[in-house]
Amino acid sequence: INPGINRWHGNKPYFWACAALHAHLKPAVAMYKQILVLLGGFLLMFHLSAQTQTAYPGKRTLLPNGWSITPAGRQIAIGDFPIAMTLSPDGALLAVAHAGVGLQYVQLFDAKTGAPLDSLTVNKLWYGLVFSADSKRLYASAGTDNSVEVFRLANHKLVRDSVIRLGKPMKNNDVFAAGLALDAVHNRLFACTMGDSMLHVVNLKTQKVEQHIALPNEPYACAYNAQTNEVYASLWGGKTVAVFDANTLRRKADLPA
């Protein structure tokens, strides 16, 4: 026993009590250190989740959750919330629609080199995005505006051209334009709207809606098949894909989802 300890604390039992307390607390201190390390790791992961993903060209991409993926092909940095992407029929241009909580905009890229060509901020965007058959126009669904924005391409730049009204904008934003599909054979545009469960048929020459087709469930996407001359509309609530004859626009079949 160190005599200095007895001199300061008076007796040996106090020393042994301190030694026993230290031995008892040592595992707890080690556990608290582990908890602090885990908490620090959690805070670091939370911080990373608020950051954008990091691209490593030709190697891997680090995701916000800390995982990494190694996609095939070449990686190109785009905007923050891509919701739709479409390639022009001539294969020259790639358009990407971004519909996040911040700015909503359309990006235009050179499809061969991946070089950014233009970016245009719009009021509202959603899932629908399609080029015209001659690649000179781009159609984008305008979400709760219940309309379709039309852009023309001029020297690889997006220029606002017109707006196709699918119906009246809803006060409560409970109806909005979703998927779009081009029917180049009949020069028509098909547009889905969620909320009112409709498939709209637009004459692209007049830019007027010629027909509204009521659907039993909410649609999200639509497509046109020139080979079979059929129109398809995915029905979320119905868990099916409705098939229409493109000439009569009558529903002819359902495909299970």
Side-chain angles (χ1 to χ4, degrees):
I1 304 291
N2 189 334
I5 294 180
N6 288 329
R7 184 170 62 249
W8 286 104
H9 301 295
N11 53 46
K12 294 179 181 179
Y14 182 84
F15 169 77
W16 292 115
C18 290
L21 181 62
H22 175 74
H24 178 73
L25 292 178
K26 188 174 181 180
V29 172
M31 181 183 68
Y32 292 146
K33 287 182 179 179
Q34 292 179 354
I35 293 175
L36 289 175
V37 171
L38 291 175
L39 181 60
F42 173 79
L43 293 175
L44 177 61
M45 183 177 295
F46 180 79
H47 174 72
L48 289 175
S49 67
Q51 310 303 312
T52 56
Q53 66 181 27
T54 304
Y56 299 88
K59 297 181 180 179
R60 60 189 176 89
T61 297
L62 181 64
L63 300 177
N65 62 2
W67 293 7
S68 63
I69 57 176
T70 53
R74 185 162 46 95
Q75 302 171 47
I76 301 172
I78 57 176
D80 59 348
F81 199 101
I83 194 172
M85 179 172 62
T86 186
L87 184 68
S88 62
D90 61 9
L93 302 172
L94 180 71
V96 182
H98 298 270
V101 295
L103 291 177
Q104 301 194 5
Y105 54 98
V106 179
Q107 283 184 301
L108 196 65
F109 295 88
D110 185 304
K112 294 182 179 180
T113 66
L117 300 174
D118 196 19
S119 180
L120 182 64
T121 301
V122 297
N123 185 34
K124 295 177 183 178
L125 281 175
W126 193 235
Y127 177 70
L129 190 68
V130 65
F131 279 97
S132 62
D134 59 6
S135 302
K136 294 182 179 180
R137 279 179 171 77
L138 179 67
Y139 303 94
S141 59
T144 53
D145 280 349
N146 203 13
S147 62
V148 176
E149 294 275 356
V150 184
F151 308 95
R152 58 184 175 85
L153 281 299
N155 296 322
H156 290 172
K157 300 293 181 182
L158 292 164
V159 181
R160 283 186 173 86
D161 185 82
S162 58
V163 176
I164 300 173
R165 300 292 178 186
L166 302 176
K168 294 181 179 179
M170 304 303 291
K171 295 181 180 180
N172 298 325
N173 294 333
D174 52 358
V175 176
F176 54 95
L180 299 177
L182 178 71
D183 174 6
V185 176
H186 304 93
N187 197 29
R188 297 181 300 190
L189 182 72
F190 293 96
C192 293
T193 50
M194 302 179 66
D196 60 354
S197 301
M198 301 290 287
L199 178 64
H200 308 273
V201 186
V202 179
N203 183 322
L204 289 178
K205 184 177 181 179
T206 62
Q207 294 195 356
K208 301 294 183 181
V209 178
E210 292 185 332
Q211 190 171 345
H212 305 276
I213 303 174
L215 300 171
N217 305 98
E218 280 195 334
Y220 185 72
C222 56
Y224 172 73
N225 188 333
Q227 295 181 344
T228 61
N229 198 34
E230 293 175 332
V231 182
Y232 308 97
S234 65
L235 305 182
W236 267 11
K239 297 181 180 180
T240 186
V241 176
V243 184
F244 295 85
D245 184 297
N247 290 328
T248 64
L249 295 177
R250 292 181 179 179
R251 188 172 175 178
K252 56 186 288 189
D254 288 333
L255 303 176

